[in-house]
Structure formats: C-alpha cells, structure tokens
Amino acid sequence: MSVGIKDVARVAEVSPATVSRVLSGRSVDPAMKERVLAAVQSTGYRPNLAARRLRSKHSNTIALIVADIRNPFFTAVSRTVEDIAYARGQRVILCNTDEDPAKEAMYLQLMQEERVTGVILAPTRQGGDRAKMKLDFPVVLIDRAGSGWTHDRVVLDNGAMAAMLVEHLHEQGHRRIAGLFGAASSTGIERRAGFEQSAAALGLEAEALSVVHGPGEAERRVTDLLNRADPPSALIASNGVMLMAVMRAVHAAGRSVPQDVALAGFDNDDWMELVGGGITVIAQPVEEIGRTAMAMLVDRIDHPQAAARKVVLAGKLIARGSSAAPVRTNRKQA
Amino acid sequence: MSVGIKDVARVAEVSPATVSRVLSGRSVDPAMKERVLAAVQSTGYRPNLAARRLRSKHSNTIALIVADIRNPFFTAVSRTVEDIAYARGQRVILCNTDEDPAKEAMYLQLMQEERVTGVILAPTRQGGDRAKMKLDFPVVLIDRAGSGWTHDRVVLDNGAMAAMLVEHLHEQGHRRIAGLFGAASSTGIERRAGFEQSAAALGLEAEALSVVHGPGEAERRVTDLLNRADPPSALIASNGVMLMAVMRAVHAAGRSVPQDVALAGFDNDDWMELVGGGITVIAQPVEEIGRTAMAMLVDRIDHPQAAARKVVLAGKLIARGSSAAPVRTNRKQA
DNA sequence: ACTTCTTAAGAAAACGTTTTCTGATTATTC
DNA sequence: GAATAATCAGAAAACGTTTTCTTAAGAAGT
C-alpha cells in the first residue's frame, strides 16, 4: 500500500540505509544521491514520522500548554512559538488547561507519552505537584512563575508594572482606586502585591479584589463596586480578559470610561485603543516572550544540567484616555 | 533507562502481549489484570506513543489548519475542536497558513508524513492544487468552500448573511454603502456577491472593494473612502479582523461610528459590543462550526466512501448601535 | 609497495509497541 | 463423556525507520 523506504531503495537500486542517509543529508556518492532523489520523486515517498521518532528517539515536537487559547495574550504568544517551532522543523501541540491543575497534570502526562522535546507552560497556581512528576523533558514556564525554582521561566516584572499603573493613576489625580486580580495565577498574585505596595507607599485608598476564574465573576465584582455609595474613581484589572469584563460591567451599569470611572490594566489587546478613549495599559512584549521561551527551551535541551534561569521582561506603559483625571478631583484642584 | 512494556511484563510476571491487552482494555484474567496494573504503578510506566502509532497505524492525531490563529473566529473554532478532540483521545496539531497556498501545501504534506487521522482546514483561495495532492486522510473544510466538490465542508450561508446585512442597513435608511471583502478567501468572494446582489435588488448605490490580505491594507482603503467628497453613509466589512481595521481607520480620520458613518459586518468578537454603540454583526455559530466539523471528520473516517457533504449554517444578525440611521437622511425624512 | 586510516555502502539489529499465530485450557453441545 | 467450540495467554512477527556493525575499497603515510 503505502510506499516505504524499502520501495524507494528497490527503485533506486540501493540499500534502505543509503536512502535514509540521503534523506538525512549525510554524505553519499552524488550519483547514488541522484538516483535516490529520483526514486523518491517517482514513488511519491513520504517518510513515516512515527517510525522515525521511534527509532531516532527525537520527536521533534513541543507542547504549548496555556490556560485558554482564547485569551489574546496566549494567542499572540502561541503564534510566535508556532512560527519559530515550524521553522526549526518542530511540530506544536496545543493544550488548554482552563486553570485546572488536574487538566494540567493530565496534559503533562500526555506529553510524557508523546516523548516531546520540550514544553512551554503557563502553569496554574496550585500545580505544585508538578515537581513530583519527574518529567523527562525540559519545561519553560511563561507568564506565571510559581514559587518553586525548578524550571526556566520568562515572566513580566509584574510587581513593578502594577506599581507603574498605580503611580500613573496617582499622577492623574486618582486617590481611591480598586484593583481586580486573578486568583488562579501567580501573575495575579504578584500584580496584586505590586498594586498594594505602591498604593500604600503613595498613601492611596486602595482595595484589591481577588477574582476567581470563571465567567461572569469579574463583572459581578465590578457591578458591586460601582453600586457602592462611594465607588473608587479608578479601576485596575490584572489582564486583558478582565479588562473586557470590567468594560462590560461599566457599560451595563450605564456608566462610562473615563467620565464615571477611570480604568487601566494589563495587556494591549487590539480593541483597547478603540473604547473609552483608549484603555491605558501595560503592553506585554508578547512576541519577545514567545521568542525567549523558545530560545530557552532549545538552550535547555542542549544543556540539560545548567542552572535554572529566570528572564524578567519589562512591559511598556501605554497611557490613553481611560486613565484621565477624575472629574471631581479635577475641580478641587482647579 | 526508560521503562517499557517488557519491564512491566517482567515485574508482573506475564507476557508483554498481556500487558498490551490489559492496557487496551481487552478481556484478561482479573488476577493478571491486577498484577499488571500494579506493575504499571510501581514501574511508573508510560506508553510510547510513537511505537504505538507505528504498530497500530492509528495516529490519534488531527490537524487544524487555519489562516491565522490570532483571528478570533479561528481561535474560537480551534478551542471547540481541541476540547472535542482531546475528549476523544486525539491530539491536535495547529498550523497557520497566513493565506499562503505554499504554506498550506507544505503543512498538508507534513500532515501526510504525520499520518494524521484527519484534517480540518480553512483553505486558501488559490489552493486548487489540493485535489492533486492525493492525501490519504479525510479533510473537512471550514469557513471557506472553494469551488471543487471533493471534500466535506461546513460553511456559513455567506451570500444570504451578507444580504441580510445590506437589507438591515437599507431598513435603517442607508442608501449609499460600501463593502470591504477579503480577496484571499472564498468567503470574502461569496459575501461580496451577496452584498452586490442584494444592493442591486434594493436599488442601492453600492461599492464593493476587494482587500488583499496584509497589514494596513484595509485601513488605507477605508481612509480613502472617508476622504472622498461624498463618502458612503455606511460600511460593511467581511470579517471581524477587518471590522477592527475599519474602526481604527475611522478613529484615525477623526470620525466616529455611527455619527459620521454607520458600520456592520461579520463575526461577533468580544469587543464589538463596546465600541460605536456596539457593532451590528452577523454572529457566526463558532462552537457549532467546530462541533460539526469534528463530527463530519469522525463520520468520514468511518465511511470513507460516502458522498461528500456540505453543511450550511445560518448566522444570527445582532443589531446594535453602529448601524443607526444616517444623520442627514434622518433629517430629510423627518 | 605495504600498512594504516578514512570513507562509503550494504546487512542486520534495534526502537517499543500491537497483532497474529499457536497451543492449551475451559466451556458447550450432542 | 467425547467431540467441538470458545477463550485466553505466551511466542514471535511486524510496523518503517535509523543506527550500528561489517566489509570493501580508496587515500594517505612511511
């Protein structure tokens, strides 16, 4: 049925080993090489990657495991990772954990069976048992860090970036701010910490809310916030998805940004320049995150025993209309 | 080193074949099954999928090939496909063609080597040579159709949906409209045709623009349009990415939706309820598209010889503020 | 010119499974 | 109770490659 390397060998009148050598670019007699290539053409031979992987023990496959590919941050990183991987002759398998540690563990097991070359992982917060799993492929963590110090990682300087947002709002004249932070990721925790510290340092009235992962949760918290007798003048959201939720809730409450409440957050998703006079955000270097993660992965494959490294990248504050001065405060100052 | 099925067999004091049978759930003596399972636990055995695939000739892998995963439409479909695939014990490999027929062909070749179970493909327009490639796995086309009738496909009723948009704008009082349609996909072509036909039927002044794939192109066309002496009162864009581009261009030109120009289009992306009073769109049933494609794929695997099928799904018009009546026309009518 | 080193190609082993084949034991039928 | 059928477990083959081993021939060194 399917044409194999033996068929090619027969047509080219050489041994299967020689065909293999030609295909893997090792040195063979030019005349033979010619014959083999011609035979490959004429037979329409396509290598069987399963067989190749079994024998060679190289899967040429990496896995990218993230919370949810629909989060534009992960989408962007994934695109970069895929481009680089395919350019290097590597296949990419994509997995969504939905912030579920059990799913994460299941996928890591699966990748073990897949004998992947390596994994790029945005870990869930509770996935602490990962260390115990004894994975025999390198793992590079992205976005989330976790406390253990076992894997390479590339992360944003979350605390500093959150502080930058707080300081920006402070400069704009905001004195009462609230922040929404994802409870499921270490990223949320770190950004929250940066938020609280810098707010304290600036003497702001600040309230940090932990939002559990799930649809509608962030909206509800924002709605509660807005319906208070004395709502904050500015909100911070710890990622792009949550910023969207905040915008929706503000909208639904009949308020608008920045007139009724200012807004700032993380992730420079496409839509953000279009609403509320543009959303002020910390733009993450998504392309660089993907690139760095891939670079660390291949480097780790070459040097399995090297010490674990951590790359911390800076984000960029993009100030837009959403963080304008509060109306009342303005008046007082004028 | 790595523990194999033979090691498990030795520990459990059974033959490798028996271990295989236990693992694949075939009937074996309960006592033996017990011993094997215990041995699997104690040895920490993990099957080697490459070997399994080689021998069993089932890759349990499907590929999803789309233009660009960053397009939210494809992201959403991909998420559904992945969930279903993993639930069925199938791995998913993701590929981005960037509307490049050469890349598409390359990936299809690669999937051939991968011996994938099947492929879900959003084909590029010029990829007509696909028929000649003699792929030995089933292919289900999504989103784009193409003219050949060789593969199963699940598509939107593009012509009818475009007409629905035109009619909606007409009802709102618009008489001069322009449409931007992607030139790279059959989808763009079909939507354009529906646009032109229904505009003609309604006696509208309508202009259809073909936009080649690439960054900034759509923005430029819209900017030109808006700078004309007598610009159209409403715009239609043939997908969500293009709607974003239109919004950007309108913004950059200092105009706003719907006051200066009305807007409607395809794809109900997250941000669309937030800008310009909400964008009026045809929402595609993304989840159903993914589900249907997977269903067709598995069905095709079971019945390779059945006739090719085409599933046409309806979208849903979501009328929002962006398609409000034109200001001047309103006055005339009042 | 003879040994030694290098290079190249074929033969055969190996990769880790599943499947086929074979023989033995148990169940079923008359 | 004997003959036949059905079940089950182990031995061995098979999947399609790459790699190791072996042998032969040519290059290089003395």
Side-chain angles (χ1 to χ4, degrees), chain A residues 275-298:
Chain A
V275 313
I279 308 284
T280 295
V281 290
I282 299 291
Q284 297 201 56
V286 284
E287 201 251 354
E288 194 176 350
I289 291 172
R291 245 192 6 246
T292 308
M294 275 302 283
M296 290 181 91
L297 196 55
V298 308

Side-chain angles (χ1 to χ4, degrees), chain A residues 169 172-176 231-234 256-263 321-334:
Chain A
L169 288 173
Q172 298 284 332
H174 292 275
R175 295 296 177 262
R176 307 190 56 249
S233 75
S256 61
V257 171
Q259 290 79 13
D260 299 309
V261 62
L263 181 57
S322 75
S323 55
V327 177
R328 265 167 292 167
T329 306
N330 252 353
R331 229 169 256 155
K332 277 184 208 160
Q333 288 177 335

Side-chain angles (χ1 to χ4, degrees), chain B residues 46 94 99 131 134 141 144 159 174 179 269 306 334:
Chain B
R46 294 275 97 200
L94 183 66
E99 307 284 10
K134 275 293 156 213
L141 267 29
R144 334 289 186 74
H174 292 275
D269 296 345

Side-chain angles (χ1 to χ4, degrees), chain A residues 66-113:
Chain A
V66 299
D68 189 345
I69 188 65
R70 284 170 302 191
N71 179 335
F73 169 75
F74 291 127
T75 315
V77 171
S78 113
R79 182 59 215 262
T80 305
V81 167
E82 280 154 19
D83 285 350
I84 299 175
Y86 279 107
R88 298 179 52 94
Q90 304 254 342
R91 239 58 71 232
V92 177
I93 299 182
L94 184 65
C95 311
N96 301 98
T97 66
D98 288 316
E99 307 285 8
D100 177 353
K103 257 183 159 179
E104 177 183 296
M106 186 265 279
Y107 281 130
L108 284 170
Q109 286 285 17
L110 223 48
M111 294 313 122
Q112 182 94 271
E113 305 185 357

Side-chain angles (χ1 to χ4, degrees), chain B residues 302-313:
Chain B
D302 294 341
H303 308 98
Q305 299 304 332
R309 294 154 302 176
K310 175 179 186 172
V311 172
V312 180
L313 298 174

Side-chain angles (χ1 to χ4, degrees), chain A residues 2-333:
Chain A
S2 181
V3 28
I5 209 172
K6 294 182 177 181
D7 304 299
V8 176
R10 190 160 359 91
V11 171
E13 297 178 306
V14 298
S15 77
T18 300
V19 176
S20 173
R21 286 190 259 257
V22 170
L23 263 37
S24 58
R26 287 203 286 283
S27 86
V28 292
D29 185 295
M32 283 189 155
K33 185 170 177 176
E34 194 72 14
R35 288 217 308 277
V36 169
L37 261 25
V40 167
Q41 284 296 327
S42 75
T43 54
Y45 167 76
R46 293 275 97 201
N48 180 321
L49 293 185
R52 179 173 288 178
R53 287 185 186 128
L54 172 59
R55 177 61 237 228
S56 73
K57 305 199 162 241
H58 296 310
S59 69
N60 291 326
T61 301
I62 69 163
L64 179 60
I65 307 182
V66 299
D68 189 345
I69 188 65
R70 284 170 302 191
N71 179 335
F73 169 75
F74 291 127
T75 315
V77 171
S78 113
R79 182 59 215 262
T80 305
V81 167
E82 280 154 19
D83 285 350
I84 299 175
Y86 279 107
R88 298 179 52 94
Q90 304 254 342
R91 239 58 71 232
V92 177
I93 299 182
L94 184 65
C95 311
N96 301 98
T97 66
D98 288 316
E99 307 285 8
D100 177 353
K103 257 183 159 179
E104 177 183 296
M106 186 265 279
Y107 281 130
L108 284 170
Q109 286 285 17
L110 223 48
M111 294 313 122
Q112 182 94 271
E113 305 185 357
E114 206 66 70
R115 302 297 193 267
V116 293
T117 311
V119 166
I120 296 179
L121 167 70
T124 61
R125 190 159 151 60
Q126 297 89 344
D129 44 354
R130 220 174 304 114
K132 301 176 209 142
M133 285 182 68
K134 275 293 155 213
L135 304 172
D136 42 8
F137 46 77
V139 173
V140 172
L141 268 29
I142 58 169
D143 184 48
R144 334 288 186 76
S147 47
W149 186 244
T150 23
H151 300 294
D152 294 324
R153 58 194 59 185
V154 37
V155 294
L156 198 72
D157 191 346
N158 288 307
M161 293 300 117
M164 194 182 280
L165 280 180
V166 172
E167 284 153 20
H168 171 77
L169 288 173
H170 177 256
E171 275 172 25
Q172 298 284 332
H174 292 275
R175 295 296 177 262
R176 307 190 56 249
I177 63 184
L180 290 91
F181 302 91
S185 71
S186 70
T187 298
I189 309 295
E190 290 177 23
R191 292 176 186 173
R192 176 184 178 145
F195 168 88
E196 289 179 323
Q197 282 168 25
S198 81
L202 293 167
L204 298 181
E205 239 180 285
E207 181 178 2
L209 282 67
S210 274
V211 180
V212 303
H213 188 74
E217 187 60 22
E219 275 96 327
R220 277 189 289 276
R221 305 296 292 269
V222 173
T223 306
D224 288 351
L225 223 44
L226 294 176
N227 287 337
R228 287 187 188 170
D230 197 10
S233 75
L235 297 177
I236 283 180
S238 75
N239 65 56
V241 174
M242 217 171 278
L243 273 171
M244 169 72 68
V246 172
M247 279 304 301
R248 245 200 282 269
V250 170
H251 233 239
R255 319 289 173 87
S256 61
V257 171
Q259 290 79 13
D260 299 309
V261 62
L263 181 57
F266 284 82
D267 295 337
N268 188 29
D269 296 345
D270 284 340
W271 56 273
M272 292 184 178
E273 52 180 304
L274 298 178
V275 313
I279 308 284
T280 295
V281 290
I282 299 291
Q284 297 201 56
V286 284
E287 201 251 354
E288 194 176 350
I289 291 172
R291 245 192 6 246
T292 308
M294 275 302 283
M296 290 181 91
L297 196 55
V298 308
D299 194 65
R300 172 62 56 188
I301 292 162
D302 294 340
H303 307 98
Q305 298 306 330
R309 293 154 302 176
K310 175 179 184 173
V311 173
V312 180
L313 298 173
K316 212 171 90 181
L317 177 72
I318 302 184
R320 296 197 180 105
S322 75
S323 55
V327 177
R328 265 167 292 167
T329 306
N330 252 353
R331 229 169 256 155
K332 277 184 208 160
Q333 288 177 335

